[in-house]
Amino acid sequence: MQKYNVSKHISFYVIGISYKKADAKTRGKFNLNIDQRKALLYKAKSLGLDSVVTSSTCNRTEIYAFADQEKILIDLLCEFSLGDQETFSENGYVLKDELAIEHMFKVGSGLDSQILGDFEIISQIKSSFALSKKQGMVNPFMERLVNSVIQASRRIKNETKISSGATSVSFASVQYILDNIGRVSDKKILLFGTGKIGRNTCENLVKHTSNKNITLINRTKDKAEEIAGKFNLIVKDFSELQSEIRSTDILIVATGAQTPTITKELIYPKKELLVLDLSIPKNVAEDVQGMDNVKLLHLDYLSQITDETLSKRRQYIPEAEAIIKEVRFEFDEWLNTRKFAPTIKALKEKFKNFKEEELDYQSKKNLKFDKEQAEIISDRVIHKITRSFASHLRNANGSTEDSIALLKKVFELDSD
């Protein structure tokens, strides 16, 4: 990437771990919360990196960044998560330059999501980008790339039907309940955790089940009350979690804890209980699965949509890829201009020096010389000349490097 003059570092990388190779438990080790991402950015800046964006969801954790080698990024991920080098080498991936750019477009456009057409990831990319920009860790290349990915994502969502049907794990969980539980409106439902997935699940429950007996519990009660007020639901204290679980029919867990919060001791298996764990890492102990009358499903299962909805979505992939190709072409055009930007800048400076020398000479030679008017005319001429050179270089295709070399030689430029 050095030829494009976009970073002092050699290459643009994406390093990450996702649902494609890693199970939920492994992905959970590399998950980065907001504080961990802030600390990672601070450390990256102290190491001299100039552009880093981190993204972490239930399905993937990725770092997009410029670096001289991939190792520094893997080290950062392992330092600020619970993951380690060996686990990453077995389950992670590293993409470089063109492949990294292509990957970011696919991720942001929902083509690489566990649920095809799931656009929740683009909001995460936006917030991650905003965090990096606030920390001063975004260069012009990263800003242009992220904006292009957002543009492609928006167009695909608006111009194709690839996001029709279920678009998230939260919807898939409610769809599972509707498909497998009889008389859902009469069942007692308990939602533990009111983060983003919890809020989305809650909204889908209210919208699709017509259930009036939904209870919310969150460690921070005011957050639960805020959501409950919006949907007119019941809120209970965290201290009442055990008693509520023992009287419920469906338990949905969507907390952000690093270790299981729902264990066998909290469950009273005298009645049938469906437990849906939508958390990363898992927040329901695995041995709950073996209890009588208890059925436990994790989001990995809920994410595996193989029904007619997914089949319909696949037919819109070519349309989505065509849109990405269009947006990517515009991005590549901009990127190509970066190759000769230093040369054009140096050329403009050279012409300005010529101008200053000549204006100084003419003002001394001619007392009636209108220097102010000459400045205006000279600047317009310089602008037109440099624009013509830029247009030539932009359309020079394979001969761009030769043209740049010629300009440097003729005008004795030093643009490095």
Side-chain angles (χ1 to χ4, degrees), residues 355-366:
K355 179 195 76 172
E356 294 299 331
E357 291 173 1
E358 188 61 27
L359 292 182
D360 184 60
Y361 172 77
Q362 292 296 335
S363 62
K364 290 178 180 179
K365 185 178 179 181
N366 185 354

Side-chain angles (χ1 to χ4, degrees), residues 112-263:
D112 198 67
S113 298
Q114 190 163 14
I115 300 177
L116 178 65
D118 184 351
F119 285 99
E120 287 188 8
I121 183 64
I122 196 63
S123 62
Q124 174 63 36
I125 291 176
K126 287 179 182 178
S127 62
S128 298
F129 171 75
L131 177 64
S132 293
K133 192 167 185 178
K134 187 176 181 180
Q135 300 293 325
M137 290 297 286
V138 170
N139 63 14
F141 171 93
M142 187 74 81
E143 183 153 15
R144 186 82 179 209
L145 176 58
V146 171
N147 285 334
S148 295
V149 170
I150 293 171
Q151 180 189 354
S153 175
R154 185 184 300 117
R155 284 190 56 190
I156 290 170
K157 188 173 184 178
N158 294 335
E159 298 175 25
T160 76
K161 295 181 180 179
I162 201 167
S163 61
S164 59
T167 58
S168 66
V169 170
S170 58
F171 184 89
S173 63
V174 175
Q175 189 64 58
Y176 178 87
I177 293 171
L178 292 171
D179 291 343
N180 294 276
I181 303 296
R183 299 171 60 88
V184 176
S185 60
D186 297 331
K187 300 298 182 181
K188 185 173 182 181
I189 301 175
L190 172 61
L191 176 61
F192 177 40
T194 54
K196 184 176 180 180
I197 291 180
R199 292 195 303 271
N200 291 343
T201 304
C202 183
E203 187 169 352
N204 283 315
L205 281 169
V206 172
K207 182 178 179 180
H208 298 287
T209 67
S210 300
N211 190 301
K212 304 296 183 182
N213 193 17
I214 300 174
T215 300
L216 304 184
I217 292 181
N218 194 62
R219 288 182 183 273
T220 307
K221 190 176 181 180
D222 58 352
K223 289 185 178 180
E225 289 175 336
E226 181 181 342
I227 298 171
K230 181 179 178 182
F231 299 110
N232 194 27
L233 305 177
I234 304 165
V235 175
K236 292 293 181 73
D237 288 323
F238 178 67
S239 60
E240 300 178 82
L241 179 61
Q242 184 175 40
S243 60
E244 286 299 315
I245 290 176
R246 294 188 174 187
S247 64
T248 197
D249 300 296
I250 302 170
L251 169 62
I252 301 173
V253 183
T255 61
Q258 294 296 312
T259 56
T261 54
I262 303 300
T263 60

Side-chain angles (χ1 to χ4, degrees), residues 6-9 11-16 32 36-56 61-70 72-77 80 104 124-143 145-146:
V6 290
S7 174
K8 64 182 179 181
H9 299 289
S11 299
F12 177 63
Y13 289 101
V14 54
I15 67 108
L32 296 169
Q36 289 169 314
R37 284 188 283 142
K38 285 180 179 178
L40 187 153
L41 289 173
Y42 183 82
K43 177 66 177 288
K45 194 171 187 176
S46 72
L47 293 174
L49 300 187
D50 60 7
S51 193
V52 179
V53 171
T54 63
S55 176
S56 192
T61 294
E62 294 183 329
I63 299 177
Y64 294 89
F66 279 94
D68 293 327
Q69 53 183 325
E70 62 199 59
I72 190 172
L73 303 178
I74 298 172
D75 288 345
L76 283 169
L77 177 59
F80 291 96
M104 196 171 191
Q124 174 63 36
I125 291 176
K126 287 179 182 178
S127 62
S128 298
F129 171 75
L131 177 64
S132 293
K133 192 167 185 178
K134 187 176 181 180
Q135 300 293 325
M137 290 297 286
V138 170
N139 63 14
F141 171 93
M142 187 74 81
E143 183 153 15
L145 176 58
V146 171

Side-chain angles (χ1 to χ4, degrees), residues 16-28:
I17 193 160
S18 77
Y19 70 94
K20 288 189 174 182
K21 289 182 65 177
D23 59 21
K25 183 178 181 180
T26 304
R27 297 199 305 274

